[in-house]
Amino acid sequence: MKSILENRPALAREVEKVAEIAGYLWQKGWAERNGGNITVNITDVIDEEIKAMPAISEVFPIGKAMPNLKGAYFFCKGTNKRMRDLARWPMENGSVIRITEDCEHYVIIADNPVKPTSELPAHLSMHNYMIEKGNGYKAAIHTHPIDLVAMSHNPKFLEKDVLTNLLWSMIPETRAFCPRGIGIIPYALPSSIELADATIKELSDYDVVLWEKHGVTAVGPDIFEAFDMIDVLSKSAQIYMTAKNMGFEPDGMSSKDMTELKEAFNLPK
Ligand code: 2HA
Ligand code: ZN
């Protein structure tokens, strides 16, 4: 069977990037079984021939209207598919979808009728929001990092910006490369519209959010940038845990050092 990626290097590159990141999620132990999901807005690399392609699925409801996504295209990890399989065979474990003209439904157009991730309402809500904001962000990732999820089981870390400030203070890179910090979303049922709505509310302040007792979700210009923010936060969580395991509370960078860093790197918060 001919793949939609054939003779389309720009589209193939976007899918390759997703596959690369899927491999890292598995290697890090953040993606047990089918855990986690990735979506990328690929509308910019869609040609007229793809726009004319018929649906290979029925028309599915999204569950919520996405007014900014009319006719948009996404590459999505498939629901119930394993991240480690997405890494090796992206077009068997993910698919290209098109949002219908009414902005409330989608169809699958290639390569296989693989139904997109169960977190599609949250992912599409984030993409819809990013277009409204005009920030040029194209990628959304959700994963289950052990360290950050463990921290979300402690109510003290769920207060506004407690975790942001703690993680920023563990190593300068985390503040520099996750400059908006990490927002907190109280526990909500996975895949629910409630979880999607709570997530987009926090995106005005953060590029990364912690879903209490579940996982982390991030958005970025591309899938590498979105992944890297979670990776630096997890690095900080590891440093914190390592110090605690050695029997002491880590000092954290001083507020003087933090202010100096903020000014030197011209950071937003
Ligand atoms: O895709 O991680 O939150 C599986 C999940 C749902
Ligand atoms: Zn999850």
Side-chain angles (χ1 to χ4, degrees):
M1 193 188 84
K2 191 170 175 293
S3 170
I4 194 175
L5 305 184
E6 241 171 73
N7 299 320
R8 291 195 175 95
L11 178 56
R13 177 70 190 128
E14 288 310 309
V15 174
E16 272 166 24
K17 281 157 71 175
V18 170
E20 181 179 332
I21 296 299
Y24 299 154
L25 298 180
W26 166 250
Q27 286 160 14
K28 282 182 160 289
W30 296 356
E32 72 293 341
R33 198 179 182 279
N34 62 317
N37 26 75
I38 296 175
T39 56
V40 178
N41 185 337
I42 51 170
T43 313
D44 283 354
V45 293
I46 294 299
D47 55 41
E48 293 305 315
E49 201 184 331
I50 297 179
K51 285 183 189 160
M53 281 181 173
I56 57 167
S57 71
E58 59 185 283
V59 179
F60 294 108
I62 300 168
K64 212 184 141 191
M66 303 288 164
N68 304 318
L69 300 185
K70 184 176 174 172
Y73 290 80
F74 294 88
F75 178 71
C76 308
K77 174 184 172 280
T79 187
N80 244 321
K81 299 294 186 190
R82 294 178 174 86
M83 207 51 94
R84 62 180 190 261
D85 291 340
L86 186 71
R88 293 179 293 179
W89 307 297
M91 295 312 280
E92 279 81 52
N93 295 278
S95 58
V96 174
I97 66 165
R98 174 195 294 137
I99 310 299
T100 56
E101 291 294 299
D102 67 3
C103 304
E104 291 184 20
H105 298 80
Y106 69 89
V107 290
I108 304 168
I109 61 156
D111 279 347
N112 300 292
V114 172
K115 198 152 185 237
T117 163
S118 59
E119 299 290 1
L120 196 66
H123 278 254
L124 292 182
S125 297
M126 293 190 285
H127 288 291
N128 186 67
Y129 175 84
M130 295 188 288
I131 289 174
E132 184 183 311
K133 222 174 154 197
N135 61 13
Y137 282 16
K138 297 276 166 30
I141 179 171
H142 162 65
T143 186
H144 301 163
I146 302 163
D147 38 30
L148 295 166
V149 175
M151 291 179 99
S152 81
H153 285 260
N154 184 338
K156 107 176 164 195
F157 293 135
L158 301 178
E159 283 165 36
K160 188 170 170 61
D161 290 334
V162 169
L163 202 52
T164 293
N165 287 313
L166 176 73
L167 297 174
W168 274 354
S169 78
M170 289 295 106
I171 180 171
E173 271 73 5
T174 300
R175 186 166 191 177
F177 297 115
C178 186
R180 302 177 79 215
I182 182 164
I184 306 291
I185 313 287
Y187 182 83
L189 185 71
S191 317
S192 62
I193 300 291
E194 184 194 352
L195 181 59
D197 288 345
T199 300
I200 51 168
K201 258 198 217 136
E202 287 295 283
L203 288 192
S204 56
D205 266 343
Y206 305 93
D207 288 335
V208 185
V209 296
L210 182 60
W211 289 352
E212 182 187 339
K213 300 175 187 133
H214 177 170
V216 175
T217 300
V219 292
D222 74 358
I223 195 63
F224 290 163
E225 300 281 344
F227 166 79
D228 283 338
M229 284 187 286
I230 305 176
D231 197 25
V232 293
L233 290 166
S234 169
K235 167 58 71 80
S236 277
Q238 289 287 320
I239 294 167
Y240 177 77
M241 276 170 46
T242 306
K244 293 289 267 187
N245 287 344
M246 287 190 281
F248 66 91
E249 182 75 24
D251 269 354
M253 290 159 60
S254 67
S255 50
K256 184 173 157 286
D257 293 341
M258 293 285 266
T259 308
E260 181 192 52
L261 185 73
K262 177 173 158 31
E263 284 164 8
F265 285 79
N266 199 16
L267 300 172
K269 279 187 181 169

